[in-house]
Amino acid sequence: MKRELGIARCGLACCLCSENNHCGGCDSGECPGDAWCENRKCSKDKNYGHCYDCDSDCKKGMFGKIKPYGFTLFVKRYGEEELLDCLERNERNGIVYHREGIIGDYDDFDDVEELIRFIKTGKK
């Protein structure tokens, strides 16, 4: 885990991403989603560092997927440090963020509350 990379604007975990060896993140000037990422554009337009800084219960862009929406909701409830602590503990316990491509153990959820419980406990 590269904790110093933290959480992306949309809530995804840059700190655990399999792309973090060559991706500089949302604000690096090298973001691969610069032209199309609706969440990046919106948060920048509103002068937010992250989508979790916004009061809206947004479902646009990446939030059509459970993982970024769930991670953002987790941070809104418990804070970014708690998310990073949970992700770090879960990684030590064998939970994998990206197992095949960009799909991993946090992607196997249909319910956001189940994902949040999994983040907190490390148990399905």
Side-chain angles (χ1 to χ4, degrees):
M1 178 167 176
K2 294 181 178 179
R3 191 178 180 109
E4 67 277 8
L5 296 178
I7 304 299
R9 286 178 173 269
C10 67
L12 291 175
C14 296
C15 58
L16 291 173
C17 182
S18 60
E19 305 293 312
N20 71 19
N21 287 329
H22 60 274
C23 176
C26 303
D27 297 320
S28 67
E30 301 170 359
C31 176
D34 190 35
W36 58 264
C37 183
E38 194 171 354
N39 302 97
R40 180 182 181 280
K41 180 180 178 347
C42 179
S43 62
K44 284 184 72 113
D45 288 349
K46 292 180 178 180
N47 289 319
Y48 291 132
H50 295 85
C51 293
Y52 60 70
D53 294 325
C54 183
D55 291 335
S56 173
D57 185 28
C58 178
K59 298 284 192 207
K60 65 183 173 184
M62 293 293 288
F63 297 140
K65 299 176 182 177
I66 293 283
K67 184 166 63 176
Y69 179 71
F71 279 38
T72 295
L73 192 55
F74 187 100
V75 174
K76 283 184 176 189
R77 291 180 187 172
Y78 307 109
E80 184 174 338
E81 287 303 309
E82 179 67 14
L83 176 60
L84 291 169
D85 290 346
C86 290
L87 294 175
E88 192 167 27
R89 180 201 65 234
N90 289 346
E91 182 184 42
R92 279 193 313 268
N93 292 330
I95 295 172
V96 179
Y97 187 72
H98 286 161
R99 187 174 299 282
E100 295 178 28
I102 59 168
I103 305 299
D105 297 333
Y106 295 98
D107 293 284
D108 194 24
F109 293 89
D110 295 325
D111 179 270
V112 71
E113 296 303 327
E114 299 258 336
L115 172 58
I116 289 172
R117 187 170 63 250
F118 179 65
I119 295 167
K120 293 267 309 167
T121 67
K123 295 177 174 67
K124 288 192 178 188

